[in-house]
Amino acid sequence: MSEKTLTRMDLSDSVFREVGLSRNESAQLVENIIQHMSDALVKGDQVKISSFGTFSIRDKAARVGRNPKTGEEVPIHPRRVLTFRPSHLMKERVAAGNKG
Amino acid sequence: MIRSELVQKIADENPHLYQRDVERIISTIFDEIIEAMARGDRVELRGFGAFSVKKRDARVGRNPRTGASVSVEEKHVPFFKTGKLLRDRLNGKS
């Protein structure tokens, strides 16, 4: 497995190549898309991108946790967590591409 | 928010782009993420989160209805970990 890490820059490069906008504008669009998705999630909305996957917010109840090192009990406050459910297409592509 | 609403927001902010170009931009980005993971690569979007591939080992599973054992092959699955900034924003910090 190659195990490269892609960043915003790689995504904006692909917009630059595929759509032919300037590098600057491509980078700005990638940023704005991420921003809109984040804002929707922070508002508590689900973000559903067909053929990619669904991001949703779950409320976690308060519970008593434990510091694994010291064994000390620590309260864990209620919090909101983000979960991602990949589309069938993504699961199939990832499974097929990494086979063998 | 669904894909078409995201397209609409970006189109509204960029009146100089055709709607079909905005659709292509958005598809390009999401396709690129899927393609990267299909090659076994990670995609890290600082502040938002990181997409990666996890390996699930082969195991002996069971048909829950009949109880018959079936061998499940090793497979790779997509995984998303929320970024620190977004996690904090979800909980009202920063």
Side-chain angles (χ1 to χ4, degrees):
Chain A
M1 228 185 270
S2 46
E3 263 284 18
K4 230 181 86 187
T5 297
L6 278 74
T7 63
R8 282 172 169 73
M9 209 175 66
D10 298 287
L11 299 184
S12 56
D13 266 1
S14 62
V15 171
F16 166 76
R17 284 192 316 266
E18 288 284 321
V19 192
L21 300 174
S22 74
R23 280 185 194 276
N24 241 330
E25 190 171 15
S26 302
Q28 194 55 60
L29 285 161
V30 169
E31 198 51 53
N32 292 346
I33 289 165
I34 295 173
Q35 200 58 52
H36 281 303
M37 292 171 67
S38 305
D39 290 348
L41 293 165
V42 170
K43 273 198 307 188
D45 290 351
Q46 196 181 51
V47 174
K48 198 169 187 167
I49 306 295
S50 56
S51 78
F52 185 80
T54 304
F55 298 89
S56 32
I57 301 296
R58 288 179 49 195
D59 279 299
K60 295 280 221 175
R63 64 189 171 91
V64 178
R66 211 176 267 281
N67 180 329
K69 207 168 280 184
T70 64
E72 185 191 356
E73 284 191 354
V74 254
I76 296 179
H77 301 292
R79 65 212 153 95
R80 291 204 295 169
V81 297
L82 173 57
T83 58
F84 174 66
R85 191 164 178 267
S87 67
H88 269 285
L89 178 90
M90 180 189 282
K91 285 199 234 172
E92 273 167 26
R93 292 260 189 90
V94 169
N98 291 282
K99 208 164 198 156
Chain B
M1 180 166 81
I2 59 174
R3 192 188 192 113
S4 58
E5 291 166 334
L6 179 59
V7 169
Q8 196 54 56
K9 278 182 196 287
I10 297 295
D12 290 345
E13 287 172 351
N14 296 275
H16 62 292
L17 297 177
Y18 290 110
Q19 176 114 355
R20 63 160 193 275
D21 288 331
V22 176
E23 272 159 17
R24 258 182 85 205
I25 292 161
I26 289 178
S27 300
T28 298
I29 292 170
F30 290 117
D31 287 351
E32 187 73 12
I33 297 174
I34 295 179
E35 289 312 311
M37 284 193 286
R39 294 191 300 266
D41 292 341
R42 298 175 72 234
V43 180
E44 183 177 330
L45 305 172
R46 273 287 151 94
F48 182 76
F51 297 91
S52 60
V53 179
K54 287 207 166 175
K55 184 180 146 198
R56 297 275 179 259
D57 284 330
R59 62 188 169 86
V60 178
R62 256 173 213 289
N63 179 327
R65 196 168 302 196
T66 65
S69 34
V70 274
S71 65
V72 180
E73 276 182 54
E74 168 192 302
K75 64 174 174 184
H76 289 81
V77 296
F79 180 76
F80 176 76
K81 183 173 190 283
T82 312
K84 192 176 182 311
L85 180 70
L86 182 53
R87 204 184 328 128
D88 287 347
R89 279 189 72 200
L90 288 173
N91 290 287
K93 296 172 219 163
S94 82

